[in-house]
């Protein structure tokens, strides 16, 4: 099994690059952002609770997203590997993910970390907000709150996986194809 985490601040290209990576490497895409937005669209109690938190730019509670990932792993017992996009976002989520994968006798091969400057992140997200209908993308204050949340709670995920020498930094500015090539160069090391 090949399990990869695509890591980086909001707007760094995780969703964009995930779409391409899953096609090339036949991985199952697990995006907690997408899973939460499906719950919101279906107006489930979980979705309603999550929407209020996401609209402020904050992180949804660990137990909610860990539960969603646990169910998604169980629902895909024959997958040849997973691409985690936007998860884990806290140290507690990282520890939980490692335990869930251990139950499947597997582990994270690499954390690919997309590096993008803050001005570019804000520009991209405001641009996406013009068409995405995502309420967390339309207001610059909320976008800045998401970036603050990233520095406060999520950047430690890279520290956590660094202790196992699993983090690879990738320049996340340039064309989508240039960044995809750089990511593939890393992933290929685990597939050959
Ligand atoms: P996510 O859905 O994970 O979304 P994201 O971080 O905003 O964006 P992503 O990084 O995937 O966007 P992309 O760059 O592809 O999270 C949303 C919210 O859900 C969080 O704030 C949180 O509240 C909640 N949540 C999710 N997971 C959670 C968890 N594990 N724990 C707690 N809460 C959680 O795209 C951005 C834009 O950039 C696009 O318009 C794209 O076209 C553009 N772009 C991409 N690459 C580009 C390039 N090279 N050049 C120019 N533009 C580019």
């Amino acid at each position: 099994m090949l399990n990869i985490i695509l890591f980086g601040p909001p707007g760094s290209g995780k969703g964009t690059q995930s779409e391409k990576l899953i096609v090339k490497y036949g991985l199952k895409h697990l995006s907690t952002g997408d899973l939460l937005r499906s719950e919101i669209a279906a107006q489930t109690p979980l979705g309603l609770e999550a929407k209020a938190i996401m609209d402020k730019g904050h992180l949804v509670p660990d137990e909610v997203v860990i539960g969603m990932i646990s169910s998604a792993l169980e629902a895909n017992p024959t997958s040849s590997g997973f691409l985690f996009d936007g998860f884990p976002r806290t140290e507690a989520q990282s520890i939980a993910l490692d335990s869930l994968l251990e139950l499947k006798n597997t582990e994270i091969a690499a954390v690919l970390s997309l590096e993008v400057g803050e001005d570019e992140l804000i520009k991209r997200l405001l641009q996406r907000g013009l068409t995405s209908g995502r309420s967390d993308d339309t207001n610059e204050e909320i976008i800045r709150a998401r970036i603050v949340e990233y520095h406060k709670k999520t950047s430690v995920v890279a520290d956590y996986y660094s202790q196992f020498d699993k983090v690879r930094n990738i320049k996340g500015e340039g064309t989508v194809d240039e960044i995809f090539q750089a990511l593939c160069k890393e992933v290929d090391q685990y597939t050959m």
Side-chain angles (χ1 to χ4, degrees), residues 8-18 31-37 50 53-62 65-66 68-69 85-90 93 114 116 120-121 123-129 131-132 134 136-137 146 149 154 172-177 179:
S12 55
K14 302 185 296 286
T16 305
Q17 296 295 337
S18 291
S31 156
T32 38
D34 287 351
L35 291 169
L36 289 166
R37 283 185 287 278
I53 299 169
M54 290 163 76
D55 280 351
K56 290 191 197 125
H58 295 162
L59 293 184
V60 172
D62 285 338
V65 283
I66 291 167
M68 286 192 325
I69 287 290
D85 159 11
F87 180 90
R89 258 180 160 94
T90 63
Q93 292 179 23
L114 291 168
V116 178
E120 172 72 10
L121 295 175
K123 196 174 93 188
R124 286 184 189 179
L125 292 175
L126 285 172
Q127 182 68 33
R128 182 171 68 183
T131 53
S132 67
R134 276 180 58 171
D136 59 345
D137 280 348
R146 289 161 62 191
E149 195 84 332
T154 304
E173 295 189 42
T175 68
V176 169
D177 278 339
I179 299 160

Side-chain angles (χ1 to χ4, degrees), residues 11-27:
S12 55
K14 302 185 296 286
T16 305
Q17 296 295 337
S18 291
E19 296 299 335
K20 295 169 75 72
L21 289 166
I22 53 165
V23 173
K24 176 155 182 179
Y25 295 101
L27 302 173

